[in-house]
Every structure is written in C-alpha cells, then in structure tokens.
Amino acid sequence: TDRKKLHTAPARQVFRLRPFHVLVATGGGYAGYRKYENYKLEELEKRGIEVPVKLASEWEVALYKSVPTRLLSRAWGRLNQVELPTWLRKPVYSLYIWTFGVNMKEAAVEDLHHYRNLSEFFRRKLKPQARPVCCLHSVISPSDGKILNFGQVKNCEVEQVKGVTYSLESFLGPRISTEELRFRQAPPGNSFQQQLVTKEGNELYHCVIYLAPGDYHCFHSPTDWRVSHRRHFPGSLMSVNPGVARWIKELFCHNERVVLTGDWKHGFFSLTAVGATNVGSIRIYFDQDLHTNSPSYSKGSYNDFSFISNNNKEGIPMRKGEHLGEFNLGSTIVLIFEAPKDFKFHLKAGQKIRFGEALGSL
C-alpha cells in the first residue's frame, strides 16, 4: 500500500517525431554523405584523374541549408571558449595537430599548456621569421591556404573553382558610392564589372584562397591599400572545402561574408572573408562594430559601414603584411582587384601557399 505510483506518458507521445527533428536528421545525414563523396573526388584528383563538374540541384542546396549550421557554429564557438584543465590541454591539442598536420615549430609559443582553450590555440601567433613578406611583388598572399582559382574576371562572373562560377554583383553587393571609393562616374549602361574599373586600360582580377583547419588562421593585408568600406552579409555557414565549392554554384554568395573594399595605387581593391561551418566568427581588428553569426538576421540582407568620416577622410590605411583579421577555424579569402593588363599571377591552381609569398605583380 506504500508503493509510489509511476506516471508514464503514452508511447506515441514519447516517440513523437517533430518536423524539425526529421529535417535536421535528414539534412545532417545528407551532409555527411556529401562529405564522403567529396573525399572520393579529392582522392581521384590526387591521382591526376579529371573529375567532371556535377552541380547540386535546388532541392539538394535547400536540404543542405536546412542543417542548422549557424546554431552549431555558435555552439562550437562557445565550446572553444571553455578553459581546459592543464592536464587535458596537451592530449586535446596533440590530437588536433596530428589530425590536421599543424606545424607547431612555427608557433610563437610552442608549449601546448600555454593555450587555455581551443580558441586561443586556433588563433595562435607565429614566430616573426616564420612568414617573411615578399618585397619584390606588389600583391602577396594574405594567408596560408590552397589556391582554388585565380585569373581575370570575365562577363561579370567569377570562378570559385574550375568550371563553377558565381555572380560578381551578388557576391560584392550593389556598387558603393563614388565618394567613398573615388570611382569615376561610369555611364549608366555599363556592366557592374565595368563600373568597378576606375582607370582606362585596366582589368579586373580575382584570387580564391581556401584555409584548411590546420592552416594559420590569421589573415593580413595583401598589399598597400586604403580600406574605405565594410559590407557584412549574414547568411548560411555551409562548408567551403574544395569538394563543396565544386558542387554548389554560388556557394560564396550563400554564405556569411565580410567584404572590405577600397583602393590601391592601381584602382579598386577588395578583400572578402567568407564564413563556413564552425567559422561563424570573422574578426577584423580595426572594426569593433562588426559582429558576425548573430542569432537574428534577415535572409538576403546586408549592412554597410563606412570608414570615411569628417575626421577621417582617408579611411583605414593598410600596409602590405600588416595584421588584418582572423577566422575561428578555416575558411576562404577572396581577392577582387583592378590592375593594368600586364599584371601576372605567379600561381598554379591547387598549389599550397603561405602568408607573405607572392601572388602576382606587374
């Protein structure tokens, strides 16, 4: 008579599946499947076998975007801030070093116990002599990474990888005022690409650099230039590894990104930091008002911030090699700039490059 009564919910309530759970499980499973497919494609490429381009359909992109990558990236960011016990630091960081091939001999502090959490480890600084800045060439690599694509912009389309393009205007957004970037007044009928070119005889060029998780996570100024404007696009945080970039057209236009625009001695210059899965945090050192991967955002929106003011009419001057910003993990840097027709890249598609090495020159 003293036994307690146990109250149980009907089985149909306990095991009731909600649409959100089904969507997340399906999307996550499909994303895992695509990761495996991308791995197989990369292995074929290493053997020198050319892989035909197969783009994702609209429903595949929609399914992938249904995965809550923004929420997962915020959770990952909070996890990175958790201070690890001293005894746990070396095993955790050693596993990461072994998995992604990190060279700790280049780090300013090689002692793994020094890094209190994963975030500090990801953002580790390098020894001053580890990355000498090339003085002979006008444009250097702003980061460590892999060259996905480079060349001249044609027909307002930019290649993210060979054979897969995205719209220049969708990526950069509407043209910024002539007052901020000192643009010449272009005729109304000119294309978006022609409006960016400020000097007669110049062309528009681009370069895409993919930062893997094991790469140095900071990025630097690729040349001497003046930053006039920042445009922040909230968006998805899909993976930007080469396999996904080959599969999803306009991937960089879907993802969250920070576009810095300005000018250098030859005209228009821009650097865009593209976010990715677990890389919701993009930091620009001189821009304290920038907050990426915010819980509330409007799809397709963007917000602008001008560094030109009554007190500062020159914007933010950046010297070649100067610290510019950092990612939380790995991601992508896209350079789009104007230069004379005799500008030459010193690159090969797919090559590894390190911060400070030459990208191209006149």
Side-chain angles (χ1 to χ4, degrees), residues 170-183:
S170 297
F171 181 68
L172 295 178
R175 184 166 170 259
I176 300 162
S177 69
T178 56
E179 291 78 11
E180 286 189 41
L181 296 184
R182 299 176 182 172
F183 287 154

Side-chain angles (χ1 to χ4, degrees), residues 83-302:
E83 185 169 341
L84 297 176
T86 306
W87 61 269
L88 188 59
R89 294 174 189 177
K90 189 171 183 178
V92 170
Y93 301 147
S94 296
L95 177 62
Y96 185 90
I97 290 167
W98 177 79
T99 304
F100 297 109
V102 178
N103 184 4
M104 284 302 293
K105 291 182 179 179
E106 298 177 332
V109 180
E110 296 184 40
D111 182 13
L112 298 180
H113 296 101
H114 169 79
Y115 303 100
R116 295 174 297 175
N117 51 48
L118 284 166
S119 182
E120 286 189 2
F121 179 72
F122 293 146
R123 296 181 288 108
R124 64 193 176 276
K125 303 300 180 184
L126 298 182
K127 294 173 182 174
Q129 67 273 20
R131 297 289 188 277
V133 175
C134 178
C135 299
L136 300 176
H137 299 274
S138 52
V139 184
I140 62 168
S141 176
S143 66
D144 289 7
K146 178 181 180 181
I147 301 295
L148 293 191
N149 216 300
F150 63 93
Q152 191 175 319
V153 177
K154 296 180 181 179
N155 303 320
C156 296
E157 292 282 324
V158 186
E159 280 194 314
Q160 58 191 31
V161 293
K162 186 178 179 180
V164 182
T165 63
Y166 56 94
S167 163
L168 179 65
E169 186 169 6
S170 297
F171 181 68
L172 295 178
R175 184 166 170 259
I176 300 162
S177 69
T178 56
E179 291 78 11
E180 286 189 41
L181 296 184
R182 299 176 182 172
F183 287 154
R184 62 184 172 86
Q185 190 62 38
N190 280 16
S191 68
F192 182 80
Q193 178 179 334
Q194 292 171 326
Q195 291 176 16
L196 293 181
V197 177
T198 65
K199 298 179 181 180
E200 293 291 340
N202 281 3
E203 298 289 348
L204 210 59
Y205 298 88
H206 74 99
C207 183
V208 182
I209 305 168
Y210 167 69
L211 289 75
D215 287 326
Y216 170 53
H217 287 64
C218 297
F219 51 93
H220 301 246
S221 176
T223 191
D224 295 334
W225 64 307
R226 182 183 69 103
V227 184
S228 305
H229 189 272
R230 179 258 292 161
R231 177 168 284 163
H232 172 216
F233 289 86
S236 300
L237 288 172
M238 294 184 282
S239 171
V240 292
N241 74 52
V244 177
R246 188 185 298 106
W247 179 55
I248 297 181
K249 184 177 173 63
E250 298 203 332
L251 171 65
F252 299 156
C253 298
H254 289 295
N255 272 17
E256 181 154 8
R257 59 198 182 278
V258 177
V259 183
L260 299 178
T261 49
D263 58 89
W264 69 320
K265 61 183 178 181
H266 299 296
F268 174 80
F269 199 96
S270 73
L271 180 148
T272 301
V274 183
T277 307
N278 294 336
V279 197
S281 174
I282 302 171
R283 183 183 173 194
I284 304 298
Y285 294 137
F286 58 74
D287 189 356
Q288 302 302 316
D289 296 319
L290 175 65
H291 301 287
T292 56
N293 197 12
S294 172
S296 58
Y297 79 102
S298 177
K299 184 179 178 181
S301 66
Y302 62 86

Side-chain angles (χ1 to χ4, degrees), residues 3-9:
R3 288 179 184 175
K4 293 182 179 179
K5 294 182 180 179
L6 297 176
H7 298 275
T8 57

